[in-house]
Amino acid sequence: QTISCLPRSSEYSQKNAVLLPAAALGVGGVLLYWLRSGRKIKTIDMGDGWWGSGERPLKGKEDESIRPFKIETSDKEIEDLHRRLDHFRFTPHVEGAAFHYGFNSSYLRKVVAYWRNQFDWRKQVEVLNKYPHFHTTIEGIDIHFIHVKPSYVPHGRAVQPLLMVHGWPGSFYEFYKIIPLLTEPARHGLNEGDVVFEVICPSIPGYGFSEAPHQKGFDSIATARIFHKLMNRLGFKEYYLQGGDWGSRITTNMTQMLPQCVKGLHLNCVFIGKQGLGRLIAIMLGAYVPWLVGLSREDARRFYPFMQKNVYDVLRESGYLHIQGTKPDTAGCGLNDSPVGLAAYILEKFSTWTDKSFLHKDDGGLESKYSLDELLTNVMIYWVTSSIVSSMRYYKENFSKDPNLNAYSGIYVPTGIAAFPQEIIHTPQVWAKDVYKNIISYSYMPSGGHFAAFEEPKLLAQDIMHFVRKVEQL
C-alpha cells in the first residue's frame, strides 16, 4: 500500500512545485496591494461644507473673488475701549504669588494703565496694514488672509508659496516679524541659500477677521479643506505648509487630505496621542537607558523628570482646555465683555507658554520677550472682532469628534520639525515618526517656546529654509 502511494506523492510534488510559487506570488500581490492601498485609506476625504447662516443656497455659484481688505478703527471703538478700561475693578493678588495663581493682578494694573494711556491703537492699525490683506468667501463664510510676495527675486531663484497657520490664542499677527525674513532673506542676513518665499497667512474661521462659522461642527478638517480651497483659488497647485498649535493640526490634516498638493510640511509643535504598553515601557526605560528606546540625550534632558514635565506641568497649563472643550460660551461671554479680562486670559498664556520659569516672576516675564505694544495688538485683534468666543468654540468642535486629538497616521510627505525647548510638551523624533513617516529635518532649537514665530522669528525662519532646501534637493 505504501508502494502504491509513491507515484501519487510524486505527482502531488510536481503540482506543488507549480502551485506554491503561484500561490506565493498571489499572496504577495495581495499583500503589496493592501500595503499600497493602506496609504490611500489613511487619507482624509476632502468632502465639502457649508458654514454660512441658514441653509445652503440651492442655486447660484459662490463668489470666488479675492477682495482687498483694510483694517480700520474709529473714535467710537477707541472711546468704548477706554471707558471699559477706566472701570476696571482691581483684585489684590496674594503676596508672593507671582504668576502661580494666573495673571498677577498688580502687574495687570500696570498693563491696563499702559493700554489706557500710552498704547496707540491707530498706530498699530497702520502696522497691521503694512502687509496686503484680503477677504474671499469659501463655504459661506468670509476668510481673511494676508499675502506677501517678495519685492525682489534674485535671478535663478524660485519663489516657493508657503501657507503659515496660527493657533490659539495667537493670530496672523504672530507672523509679522518672520514674514520679511522669508520674503526678503538677503536683506536680513539669510542669503546663504536659494530659497525665497511668498507667504500666505490666513485667519482660522472664528479668529480675528475671518468670519465665524454659523453652523456646528467646524473642526480642523473643515479648516484644512477651506485652506486648500484658498490656495487653489490663489492659483497654487503645490505649496509648503507651516504651523504650530492648532496650525500644526490643520496643516497635518491638509497633508492627509491632499498630499499631492503639499511639497513639504514644517511644524514647530507636534502632539502625538499614541498610548499603550510599548510607550509606557519606553518612558520607563528612557530615564535610564534612553538610547535603548531611541531617545537622544537631548530628548531625555527635555523629557525627564517625566511626571513633572509631562503630567504636573501639563495639568497646570491645561485648565483652559477643559473649559473651552466643553462649554466655551459661558466663560467666553465674560471675556467678550471685558477687555481687561480678555487681556489677562490671553496674556497669561504668552507668559508660561513662552518659558515655564516665568511662572515665578511677578511680571510673568512678558516684557523680556515681547513689547506691550505687540502683546496688546494681538489682544486687540480678538477684542475689536469679538472673536474670543468663536475661537474658544474651536476646542469643543475638535474635542467632540476626537477627544484625544489623535492625528491620523501615515504622513508621507517630507516633514520638518523644529523642537523648541520651552514647548509645552516635547515630542522626540522617534515618537513623531509614528505619524510623520518621512521626517527629513528634525532640529533641537536652542531657545524659544510655543509662540516660535513671534518670539524667535530668525531661528524659525532659518529652520524653515534649511528644511525647504533639503526638500528641493530630493
Side-chain angles (χ1 to χ4, degrees), residues 247-256 265 267 407 411 435-436:
S248 172
R249 182 169 172 86
I250 292 164
T251 53
T252 294
N253 289 157
M254 291 179 73
T255 302
Q256 294 159 334
L265 171 68
L267 306 172
I411 309 297
V435 173
Y436 304 96

Side-chain angles (χ1 to χ4, degrees), residues 256-322:
Q256 294 159 334
M257 190 173 285
L258 293 176
Q260 68 274 21
C261 293
V262 180
K263 295 184 74 175
L265 171 68
H266 186 278
L267 306 172
N268 59 275
C269 179
V270 175
F271 296 112
I272 304 296
K274 181 180 177 182
Q275 306 295 329
L277 181 61
R279 180 59 51 84
L280 179 61
I281 293 171
I283 290 170
M284 293 172 65
L285 292 177
Y288 306 100
V289 282
W291 51 269
L292 190 63
V293 291
L295 301 182
S296 69
R297 286 185 177 180
E298 183 61 20
D299 286 328
R301 191 181 71 81
R302 296 185 182 191
F303 201 66
Y304 297 99
F306 177 81
M307 290 301 291
Q308 180 63 51
K309 293 186 175 181
N310 299 275
V311 179
Y312 303 144
D313 287 354
V314 172
L315 284 174
R316 185 191 66 227
E317 296 300 327
S318 58
Y320 80 99
L321 190 146
H322 189 76

Side-chain angles (χ1 to χ4, degrees), residues 159-284:
V159 179
Q160 303 292 346
L162 174 66
L163 180 81
M164 304 188 78
V165 185
H166 66 88
W168 187 92
S171 65
F172 65 92
Y173 178 61
E174 283 182 73
F175 302 115
Y176 267 50
K177 289 186 280 190
I178 198 173
I179 285 173
L181 307 183
L182 297 170
T183 57
E184 299 176 314
R187 291 183 60 182
H188 298 87
L190 299 174
N191 57 348
E192 69 272 15
D194 56 355
V195 178
V196 181
F197 297 94
E198 60 177 295
V199 179
I200 302 92
C201 298
S203 293
I204 298 171
Y207 289 69
F209 298 97
S210 278
E211 185 178 355
H214 297 269
Q215 311 292 334
K216 293 192 297 182
F218 187 87
D219 59 4
S220 62
I221 293 175
T223 314
R225 181 178 62 245
I226 282 178
F227 286 172
H228 269 310
K229 289 182 177 182
L230 171 63
M231 295 300 280
N232 182 260
R233 192 169 292 183
L234 292 172
F236 299 115
K237 302 302 179 187
E238 289 185 314
Y239 31 88
Y240 285 93
L241 304 176
Q242 202 286 325
D245 196 87
W246 279 124
S248 172
R249 182 169 172 86
I250 292 164
T251 53
T252 294
N253 289 157
M254 291 179 73
T255 302
Q256 294 159 334
M257 190 173 285
L258 293 176
Q260 68 274 21
C261 293
V262 180
K263 295 184 74 175
L265 171 68
H266 186 278
L267 306 172
N268 59 275
C269 179
V270 175
F271 296 112
I272 304 296
K274 181 180 177 182
Q275 306 295 329
L277 181 61
R279 180 59 51 84
L280 179 61
I281 293 171
I283 290 170
M284 293 172 65

Side-chain angles (χ1 to χ4, degrees), residues 319-338:
Y320 80 99
L321 190 146
H322 189 76
I323 292 171
Q324 295 178 192
T326 53
K327 296 185 178 181
D329 287 31
T330 304
C333 66
L335 300 177
N336 195 48
D337 190 58
S338 167

Side-chain angles (χ1 to χ4, degrees), residues 318-363:
S318 58
Y320 80 99
L321 190 146
H322 189 76
I323 292 171
Q324 295 178 192
T326 53
K327 296 185 178 181
D329 287 31
T330 304
C333 66
L335 300 177
N336 195 48
D337 190 58
S338 167
V340 179
L342 180 68
Y345 196 72
I346 288 177
L347 296 186
E348 182 247 303
K349 304 308 178 193
F350 280 87
S351 170
T352 43
W353 291 6
T354 295
D355 191 318
K356 299 175 186 71
S357 70
F358 288 172
L359 193 72
H360 309 297
K361 296 179 178 289
D362 288 341
D363 63 355

Side-chain angles (χ1 to χ4, degrees), residues 91-112:
T91 304
H93 70 278
V94 178
E95 292 183 11
F99 262 56
H100 285 272
Y101 285 68
F103 205 105
N104 183 291
S105 57
S106 291
Y107 180 63
L108 182 60
R109 177 178 265 175
K110 177 188 173 184
V111 172
V112 172

Side-chain angles (χ1 to χ4, degrees), residues 85-97:
L85 294 178
D86 286 338
H87 289 87
F88 162 50
R89 292 203 299 174
F90 175 72
T91 304
H93 70 278
V94 178
E95 292 183 11

